Amino acid sequence: MTTQTSINTGSANLDVLSEGLIELLRRNDPEVASILADEADRQASTIELIASENHVSPAVMHAMGSWMTNKYAEGYPGKRYYSGCINYDRAEQLAIDRATELFDCKYANVQTHSGANANLAVYFALLDPGDTIMSVVLSDGGHLTHGSPVSISGKWLKPIHYPLIYDESRDDYGYIDYDAVEKLAIEHEPKILLCGYSAYSRVINFARFREIADMVGATLVADIAHIAGLCAAGAHPSPFPYSHIVTTTTHKTLRGPRGGLILTNDEELAKAINKAVFPGTQGGPLMHIITAKAVAFAEALKPEFKTYAAQIVANAKALADTLMNCGHHLLSNGTDNHLMLMDLRKFDTELTGKQAAIWLDDAGIIVNKNTVANDERSPFQTSGIRLGSPAVTTRGFKENEMRQVGAFIDRVLRSKGDEAVISAVHAEVREICAQFPLPH
Ligand code: DSN
């Protein structure tokens, strides 16, 4: 059956290799060529505010689509199960060396396929079924793998969740309640104390967490998936030397390929982690992704990445200030990092995060619905939306553009979905996007 396809790369400025790929697919597989071209166009013509997403460089992207995908390389550099791994050893060792330099630590495992796998491997290395971990609950900004009942971490471990400050009359409303963390840790003696979140906009006090971990003999695991790029570039304090183990993804603020990473300074932990990754929880490593991680880490080691990370934070602040000046409410009244959580309950009691995200999507502004502290709505509806600055900062947005983005969001939400307003904003979104192409 022949399917009619249209291939239109529209406003996307493609690099030479990407153009070649579309051309190759256009001849061999026009349906997939059409999907790729449309996605490039979608990314180029919308404002991406999902806090966990980014636009990789052509070098990172094409390292992923290289010969390095063709090989099995179970094991570690110099200790592989299959022959022919010489170049895979070089690529993985380079990724390890660059990761340890970037995060100023001694040991790195670059094989985990994702942040979730990184956390799972750490649990497998350190815990037995039924052991206690302490973390923030998913609906307050934690993560599925931090003990959610629908995740293996919640089914096979015993999660105790520590709270945020829920008292709105306090200046530190929405911040982690460190005194409660200490009290709960003393009461429950977790084996792992987790810090690091999917929707927390304030600086994490790693030193205080380590003090608490030491009081109860817990291993401190910092899951810096969201803020890894900021930590690497000095735009957020480093989790080292306080954390025993650091897990992260490589594709958020770090702007690498989709994958995971585990770091430590402790040789015994490093050995246990390596075993827990392979053969404990994974098989053959994704060597094309590991190669792209090496490329991304080299990019993050460059001085310009520090400028990029500082701009991510400045941009988030500019967006947060604009929204608050327009009368919107942000959890913890602002941000120190790349993201913010808009609490819609105080703006319009009827408006769900789901509806707000749909209206914004219609205007070309991509956000995700998100629960906010003490949210009574389900994760499918939510009372908030999460906004982040990493992807637009990659495109070159600065404070001025972020103020425009804040004004767009305000107009869309105040219009309550009015089609004329949404369509007018959408036209302005396309105009601004045309001025800031994707990396090419
Ligand atoms: N899904 C990721 C996020 O958006 O934060 C967390 O895994």
Side-chain angles (χ1 to χ4, degrees):
M1 191 179 82
T2 314
T3 311
Q4 197 63 34
T5 55
S6 69
I7 298 173
N8 170 25
T9 53
S11 47
N13 286 294
L14 300 186
D15 63 275
V16 174
L17 282 177
S18 298
E19 267 177 12
L21 173 65
I22 297 284
E23 201 41 51
L24 180 73
L25 285 168
R26 198 194 296 264
R27 291 197 300 270
N28 294 297
D29 190 341
E31 284 170 279
V32 171
S34 163
I35 292 169
L36 289 194
D38 287 350
E39 176 56 13
D41 187 37
R42 186 197 70 80
Q43 291 187 20
S45 60
T46 53
I47 292 178
E48 179 55 76
L49 295 182
I50 293 181
S52 50
E53 295 184 9
N54 213 327
H55 303 291
V56 295
S57 69
V60 169
M61 189 157 64
H62 297 305
M64 283 186 267
S66 67
W67 307 270
M68 302 301 274
T69 194
N70 288 338
K71 184 105 191 82
Y72 261 119
E74 283 122 319
Y76 288 100
K79 287 171 281 180
R80 305 284 186 187
Y81 284 80
Y82 293 1
S83 300
C85 286
I86 179 169
N87 296 316
Y88 298 82
D89 285 1
R90 290 167 64 202
E92 183 165 349
Q93 194 56 54
L94 197 57
I96 291 169
D97 293 345
R98 288 176 176 175
T100 51
E101 184 183 349
L102 187 60
F103 289 96
D104 195 16
C105 64
K106 289 191 185 146
Y107 304 98
N109 183 303
V110 297
Q111 289 197 3
T112 57
H113 304 332
S114 66
N117 279 30
N119 288 339
L120 191 63
V122 168
Y123 299 151
F124 192 59
L126 298 184
L127 304 176
D128 291 312
D131 279 349
T132 301
I133 60 170
M134 264 184 62
S135 62
V136 157
V137 73
L138 180 61
S139 54
D140 276 357
H143 189 256
L144 274 172
T145 58
H146 296 183
S148 160
V150 295
S151 146
I152 194 169
S153 62
K155 284 194 194 295
W156 290 5
L157 302 172
K158 186 178 162 208
I160 300 292
H161 295 303
Y162 54 84
L164 307 178
I165 308 268
Y166 302 122
D167 178 354
E168 293 184 36
S169 66
R170 284 177 56 165
D171 286 345
D172 51 3
Y173 163 63
Y175 284 61
I176 290 159
D177 187 342
Y178 289 94
D179 293 336
V181 179
E182 182 175 320
K183 205 162 151 256
L184 284 168
I186 290 168
E187 188 182 337
H188 295 279
E189 297 187 333
K191 283 216 176 140
I192 284 181
L193 175 58
L194 266 162
C195 58
Y197 316 94
S198 297
Y200 184 67
S201 62
R202 294 300 180 178
V203 165
I204 301 169
N205 187 341
F206 295 116
R208 179 80 197 271
F209 270 114
R210 177 58 183 263
E211 264 175 38
I212 298 169
D214 284 348
M215 275 179 204
V216 298
T219 301
L220 182 62
V221 179
D223 177 347
I224 60 164
H226 263 261
I227 54 172
L230 307 185
C231 294
H236 184 286
S238 169
F240 291 118
Y242 303 107
S243 312
H244 296 102
I245 297 174
V246 172
T247 61
T248 182
T249 53
T250 46
H251 50 270
K252 298 186 175 95
T253 49
L254 196 48
R255 210 167 60 184
R258 194 159 285 278
L261 174 67
I262 310 177
L263 307 163
T264 183
N265 277 318
D266 182 302
E267 190 176 0
E268 291 311 309
L269 284 176
K271 283 184 192 157
I273 287 164
N274 278 354
K275 273 195 206 152
V277 173
F278 176 82
T281 51
Q282 291 191 171
L286 307 177
M287 292 310 303
H288 55 310
I289 299 294
I290 290 171
T291 308
K293 285 176 187 173
V295 176
F297 298 155
E299 289 179 359
L301 280 162
K302 290 186 180 158
E304 48 266 40
F305 195 81
K306 281 197 193 318
T307 313
Y308 166 63
Q311 190 66 51
I312 289 178
V313 175
N315 280 355
K317 278 192 202 307
L319 178 58
D321 289 345
T322 307
L323 291 169
M324 288 190 295
N325 289 339
C326 290
H328 296 282
H329 297 268
L330 301 184
L331 186 69
S332 88
N333 297 313
T335 180
D336 297 325
N337 60 23
H338 63 299
L339 69 78
M340 65 213 72
L341 268 181
M342 263 180 99
D343 187 344
L344 300 167
R345 293 172 293 199
K346 294 184 199 135
F347 172 67
D348 176 346
T349 49
E350 300 296 310
L351 180 60
T352 62
K354 180 180 176 184
Q355 180 62 75
I358 291 170
W359 289 339
L360 290 167
D361 189 359
D362 289 343
I365 300 170
I366 313 299
V367 307
N368 66 282
K369 57 182 177 290
N370 216 102
T371 49
V372 269
N374 266 337
D375 203 332
E376 284 174 2
R377 289 195 172 103
S378 78
F380 302 105
Q381 293 296 330
T382 80
S383 299
I385 52 175
R386 187 184 64 167
L387 311 171
S389 59
V392 287
T393 306
T394 294
R395 296 179 76 160
F397 280 35
K398 297 237 163 51
E399 288 88 334
N400 198 28
E401 287 74 35
M402 298 312 286
R403 286 189 275 273
Q404 282 177 263
V405 172
F408 292 157
I409 294 171
D410 180 56
R411 275 163 64 194
V412 168
L413 297 187
R414 277 189 200 288
S415 82
K416 298 192 185 297
D418 182 281
E419 280 180 22
V421 173
I422 287 180
S423 154
V425 171
H426 200 172
E428 290 181 55
V429 165
R430 279 191 166 276
E431 248 171 60
I432 202 170
C433 285
Q435 295 164 41
F436 295 91
L438 299 180
H440 62 286

